[in-house]
mmCIF file of all heavy atoms in Angstrom:
data_model
loop_
_atom_site.group_PDB
_atom_site.id
_atom_site.type_symbol
_atom_site.label_atom_id
_atom_site.label_comp_id
_atom_site.label_asym_id
_atom_site.label_seq_id
_atom_site.Cartn_x
_atom_site.Cartn_y
_atom_site.Cartn_z
ATOM 1 N N PRO B 360 73.117 -24.885 116.180
ATOM 2 C CA PRO B 360 74.328 -25.689 116.317
ATOM 3 C C PRO B 360 74.652 -25.929 117.789
ATOM 4 O O PRO B 360 74.403 -25.091 118.624
ATOM 5 C CB PRO B 360 75.406 -24.839 115.633
ATOM 6 C CG PRO B 360 74.880 -23.454 115.638
ATOM 7 C CD PRO B 360 73.379 -23.560 115.620
ATOM 8 N N GLY B 361 75.171 -27.028 118.094
ATOM 9 C CA GLY B 361 75.457 -27.401 119.474
ATOM 10 C C GLY B 361 75.453 -28.897 119.595
ATOM 11 O O GLY B 361 75.978 -29.592 118.727
ATOM 12 N N ARG B 362 74.782 -29.381 120.630
ATOM 13 C CA ARG B 362 74.781 -30.834 120.838
ATOM 14 C C ARG B 362 73.852 -31.504 119.789
ATOM 15 O O ARG B 362 72.680 -31.108 119.670
ATOM 16 C CB ARG B 362 74.266 -31.119 122.246
ATOM 17 C CG ARG B 362 74.570 -32.510 122.653
ATOM 18 C CD ARG B 362 74.127 -32.754 124.066
ATOM 19 N NE ARG B 362 74.229 -34.150 124.367
ATOM 20 C CZ ARG B 362 73.691 -34.700 125.431
ATOM 21 N NH1 ARG B 362 73.027 -33.957 126.282
ATOM 22 N NH2 ARG B 362 73.857 -35.968 125.663
ATOM 23 N N PRO B 363 74.373 -32.491 119.145
ATOM 24 C CA PRO B 363 73.518 -33.170 118.147
ATOM 25 C C PRO B 363 72.504 -34.098 118.804
ATOM 26 O O PRO B 363 72.698 -34.485 119.960
ATOM 27 C CB PRO B 363 74.526 -33.955 117.311
ATOM 28 C CG PRO B 363 75.674 -34.184 118.228
ATOM 29 C CD PRO B 363 75.719 -33.013 119.178
ATOM 30 N N PRO B 364 71.472 -34.430 118.146
ATOM 31 C CA PRO B 364 70.475 -35.350 118.729
ATOM 32 C C PRO B 364 71.057 -36.767 118.875
ATOM 33 O O PRO B 364 72.027 -37.129 118.233
ATOM 34 C CB PRO B 364 69.348 -35.338 117.716
ATOM 35 C CG PRO B 364 69.974 -34.915 116.453
ATOM 36 C CD PRO B 364 71.135 -34.035 116.797
ATOM 37 N N ASP B 365 70.444 -37.547 119.774
ATOM 38 C CA ASP B 365 70.874 -38.938 119.975
ATOM 39 C C ASP B 365 70.234 -39.801 118.857
ATOM 40 O O ASP B 365 69.035 -40.055 118.847
ATOM 41 C CB ASP B 365 70.410 -39.397 121.361
ATOM 42 C CG ASP B 365 70.875 -40.820 121.626
ATOM 43 O OD1 ASP B 365 71.604 -41.382 120.747
ATOM 44 O OD2 ASP B 365 70.498 -41.378 122.667
ATOM 45 N N PHE B 366 71.104 -40.236 117.946
ATOM 46 C CA PHE B 366 70.578 -41.014 116.799
ATOM 47 C C PHE B 366 70.264 -42.464 117.161
ATOM 48 O O PHE B 366 69.713 -43.194 116.357
ATOM 49 C CB PHE B 366 71.564 -40.975 115.624
ATOM 50 C CG PHE B 366 71.717 -39.585 115.045
ATOM 51 C CD1 PHE B 366 72.869 -38.859 115.211
ATOM 52 C CD2 PHE B 366 70.668 -39.040 114.309
ATOM 53 C CE1 PHE B 366 72.997 -37.582 114.687
ATOM 54 C CE2 PHE B 366 70.798 -37.771 113.772
ATOM 55 C CZ PHE B 366 71.953 -37.037 113.962
ATOM 56 N N ASN B 367 70.685 -42.913 118.417
ATOM 57 C CA ASN B 367 70.448 -44.302 118.799
ATOM 58 C C ASN B 367 69.091 -44.502 119.464
ATOM 59 O O ASN B 367 68.711 -45.651 119.706
ATOM 60 C CB ASN B 367 71.548 -44.785 119.744
ATOM 61 C CG ASN B 367 72.888 -44.849 119.036
ATOM 62 O OD1 ASN B 367 72.928 -45.201 117.873
ATOM 63 N ND2 ASN B 367 73.937 -44.449 119.715
ATOM 64 N N ARG B 368 68.443 -43.435 119.786
ATOM 65 C CA ARG B 368 67.118 -43.581 120.408
ATOM 66 C C ARG B 368 66.134 -44.183 119.393
ATOM 67 O O ARG B 368 66.229 -43.880 118.218
ATOM 68 C CB ARG B 368 66.573 -42.215 120.821
ATOM 69 C CG ARG B 368 67.053 -41.774 122.159
ATOM 70 C CD ARG B 368 66.213 -40.612 122.598
ATOM 71 N NE ARG B 368 66.874 -39.842 123.617
ATOM 72 C CZ ARG B 368 66.412 -38.684 124.044
ATOM 73 N NH1 ARG B 368 65.315 -38.172 123.505
ATOM 74 N NH2 ARG B 368 67.035 -38.025 125.001
ATOM 75 N N PRO B 369 65.259 -45.024 119.960
ATOM 76 C CA PRO B 369 64.248 -45.550 119.013
ATOM 77 C C PRO B 369 63.326 -44.441 118.548
ATOM 78 O O PRO B 369 63.021 -43.516 119.290
ATOM 79 C CB PRO B 369 63.491 -46.596 119.832
ATOM 80 C CG PRO B 369 63.767 -46.254 121.263
ATOM 81 C CD PRO B 369 65.100 -45.553 121.320
ATOM 82 N N LEU B 370 62.907 -44.602 117.354
ATOM 83 C CA LEU B 370 62.050 -43.571 116.756
ATOM 84 C C LEU B 370 60.634 -43.780 117.236
ATOM 85 O O LEU B 370 60.057 -44.858 117.093
ATOM 86 C CB LEU B 370 62.116 -43.687 115.240
ATOM 87 C CG LEU B 370 61.402 -42.610 114.457
ATOM 88 C CD1 LEU B 370 62.078 -41.255 114.667
ATOM 89 C CD2 LEU B 370 61.389 -42.949 112.989
ATOM 90 N N THR B 371 60.067 -42.801 117.845
ATOM 91 C CA THR B 371 58.667 -42.894 118.300
ATOM 92 C C THR B 371 57.798 -42.395 117.157
ATOM 93 O O THR B 371 58.213 -41.548 116.354
ATOM 94 C CB THR B 371 58.428 -42.013 119.526
ATOM 95 O OG1 THR B 371 58.892 -40.718 119.214
ATOM 96 C CG2 THR B 371 59.163 -42.549 120.719
#
Side-chain angles (χ1 to χ4, degrees):
Chain B
R362 195 177 171 193
D365 182 4
F366 294 109
N367 294 323
R368 275 194 201 171
L370 186 66
T371 53

